[in-house]
Amino acid sequence: MYPSAETTPFERTILSLARADDVAAAVEHVAEQWESVVATDGAAIRRALDALPEHAWSSDPRLLTAMGASYRSLDRRSRSAALPWFRTALAIAEKTDAAASVHAMVLLHHAAALRSLGRLDLALDLGRRAWELLDGDTSPAASRRVRGQAFAALQLGLVLVHLGRRAEAGEMLHLAWGLADRALNETERFECVSGLALLAYLDGDLARSAELSRLARSAEVAPVLLHTPFGVATLIAETLVAVMRDDGRRAAELEATLADAAARSDWEPFAHYARGMVADLEGRRIEGLELVRKALDAAKTWTGEPTVFTCCAVLRGLLLTHLGEFAAALNTFASVHPDADHATCPNRFIAGIRYKAGDSAGCLRALEACDALGEAHSPRTVIDVLMLKAAAGYDVDNPTAADVALDRALLLASQGSMRTPFLMISPVTMQRMLGRASDRGQPESVHRLLDELRLATSVPSAGTLEPLSVRERDIAQHLFEDKTVSQIASELFISSNTVKTHVRSIYRKLSANNRRDAVRRVRELGLVADITPV
């Protein structure tokens, strides 16, 4: 094998040393340099090792690890071919009592391969074993020891993100990022900042997530790595932030890139989940359910307790809610256990269903566990909770508590650009609530948000609304009279399912969340003369 125009500087050095019969120097060069090459050009590693006598490297755990890692590079992306190489390297490292730094390197690259396969519990175990080896080892040079710990922190942090252990993940990824300039290569730095961007979203800090995503996009390697498994966490974070900001156009642009970028990687389930969130935002609820199925199918062999399972359950419940399948949605939410700070908070969706059904007191009861958390409630979901408390509080004649909840929600939203919580409340109710808030003293940032929300939730006049049909007017009258669905069906000689279909249509046409909103809206617009004021 001779150097050609296609060979890299790394390969040319190896080939030059091999031709000079300095195989030992060639082996050491591979051992020292392969980690800087392998992510983007695993083929170069394989060609370099093939150029050397097999006996020179086949018993060296460092080079066996290099060969294994080459099968996870962008030019190969095999999620299982790497494992036999890592197992062999680990067996040799243990048998020969290899240096702790070498043993740890084998464990960490093995852990990365297992993470890509969703074997999160074993990946975490190997990462921790590597961390303990490095923590107790004082033999290598300081730079090599720091390099090992930075890489260990990166791998542990990414596994912990998948497991939903956000505080531990943050500790590890921030340590890795703090050491990144001196201890991580460009690909690893990019993977680290991408993980941090997604973690910031999961923590509810949309501004920080957006800042980290911009940092990732400004990196020199972004054109190569952004749309790959090493950078797709950035795209997922950007998509989810766009959804929370109700930025449909940006979310749709990003969604189009996610599937290919995450394919055959550990981020594939999360990518399908993010696409499902976009589908829900755009009203494509059946497609959203299919994307939930794809996410769960992509992770069906995963071990541990992946956070994407919980995310998908919550999204499924939300989609069912929007489809009017309230009983199925409640069953789904009941199966989800909120985490300690309610970053995953099914209570708010259960409360939302109660509110839509006109049960404002039941809505507030569903939020009692959220209230108990106080200021410890995750900022990612607390605005939803506050908005429901405000809307329901007005309905149960507790305006003081409702005003406080609304003002808190507005202040938090003005600081973080989160907008989806305001979509839960009908435009009719929102306009009334915004009017009350405007009459109270508010910071300038809140006044700007109030102007934005007033425009976004402006209620159309009667002339611009889709008219109610004769049957819908009949059903609206019965709703006003507080009759149940079965009573309406019996009196109009139609099925309960038909009544439900008409009720959903009435709510849609009137921009109403529940029967109280619908009756109020009909009265305001004078659409049905025989519905008298409450």
Side-chain angles (χ1 to χ4, degrees), residues 190-517:
F190 197 81
E191 193 170 24
C192 185
V193 74
S194 294
L196 282 168
L198 181 57
L199 182 62
Y201 162 78
L202 294 171
D203 281 338
D205 193 341
L206 303 193
R208 178 59 176 161
S209 180
E211 178 187 349
L212 289 163
S213 294
R214 287 192 295 271
L215 181 60
R217 284 184 174 272
S218 69
E220 187 175 341
V221 294
V224 176
L225 295 178
L226 183 62
H227 292 89
T228 74
F230 297 107
V232 71
T234 294
L235 299 177
I236 294 169
E238 288 181 320
T239 302
L240 294 170
V241 167
V243 168
M244 296 303 291
R245 289 178 169 173
D246 194 25
D247 187 350
R249 182 164 60 180
R250 178 61 174 156
E253 290 172 355
L254 290 161
E255 182 200 355
T257 69
L258 284 178
D260 288 342
R264 301 185 306 280
S265 79
D266 52 312
W267 297 113
E268 185 174 10
F270 244 121
H272 287 313
Y273 162 74
R275 295 175 63 207
M277 290 286 286
V278 178
D280 180 59
L281 182 69
E282 295 182 341
R284 298 181 282 117
R285 274 62 191 252
I286 299 300
E287 185 178 345
L289 288 172
E290 173 61 13
L291 288 166
V292 168
R293 186 197 65 77
K294 286 185 175 181
L296 295 174
D297 186 63
K300 65 185 177 183
T301 62
W302 284 28
T303 60
E305 297 180 1
T307 191
V308 74
F309 287 179
T310 302
C311 291
C312 284
V314 171
L315 175 56
R316 182 176 184 274
L318 183 59
L319 290 161
L320 290 170
T321 300
H322 290 157
L323 288 167
E325 297 289 337
F326 297 136
L330 284 170
N331 285 337
T332 299
F333 292 133
S335 70
V336 177
H337 300 289
D339 41 22
D341 64 350
H342 282 213
T344 298
C345 182
N347 304 60
R348 74 193 197 276
F349 294 118
I350 295 171
I353 292 173
R354 301 296 184 208
Y355 177 74
K356 283 180 179 293
D359 182 9
S360 294
C363 169
L364 293 172
R365 284 195 300 273
L367 296 174
E368 289 174 353
C370 300
D371 280 342
L373 283 176
E375 300 306 314
H377 201 291
S378 168
R380 180 174 148 211
T381 53
V382 73
I383 301 177
D384 301 61
V385 171
L386 292 169
M387 286 303 299
L388 286 167
K389 282 183 64 178
Y394 292 127
D395 284 345
V396 299
D397 296 325
N398 190 355
T400 301
D403 286 344
V404 171
L406 177 58
D407 287 352
R408 288 186 63 204
L410 291 167
L411 181 61
L412 289 171
S414 72
Q415 296 169 344
S417 303
M418 197 175 290
R419 297 295 180 265
T420 49
F422 302 102
L423 303 177
M424 299 186 301
I425 312 300
S426 74
V428 176
T429 302
M430 275 299 302
Q431 287 290 323
R432 191 172 71 256
M433 292 168 66
L434 296 175
R436 288 182 64 95
S438 296
D439 293 338
R440 298 189 292 275
Q442 305 285 0
E444 183 59 34
S445 62
V446 171
H447 279 296
R448 288 194 296 270
L449 175 59
L450 287 169
D451 291 341
E452 175 190 332
L453 293 174
R454 271 193 290 266
L455 181 62
T457 60
S458 58
V459 181
S461 64
T464 63
L465 284 173
E466 183 180 351
L468 298 181
S469 68
V470 173
R471 177 63 82 187
E472 287 166 352
R473 288 181 181 227
D474 288 343
I475 290 174
Q477 172 69 56
H478 286 78
L479 290 175
F480 172 74
E481 294 170 358
D482 203 27
K483 292 180 180 176
T484 66
V485 168
S486 59
Q487 288 173 329
I488 297 171
S490 176
E491 292 188 21
L492 297 180
F493 302 102
I494 57 179
S495 71
S496 293
N497 283 338
T498 300
V499 174
K500 291 177 182 177
T501 299
H502 284 307
V503 169
R504 285 197 293 267
S505 179
I506 292 168
Y507 288 1
R508 176 181 59 80
K509 290 179 178 181
L510 299 182
S511 298
N513 269 338
N514 51 41
R515 77 168 60 194
R516 184 182 288 103
D517 278 349

Side-chain angles (χ1 to χ4, degrees), residues 44-57:
I45 302 295
R46 294 190 295 274
R47 288 193 298 266
L49 290 175
D50 286 343
L52 300 175
E54 185 174 344
H55 67 80
W57 60 268

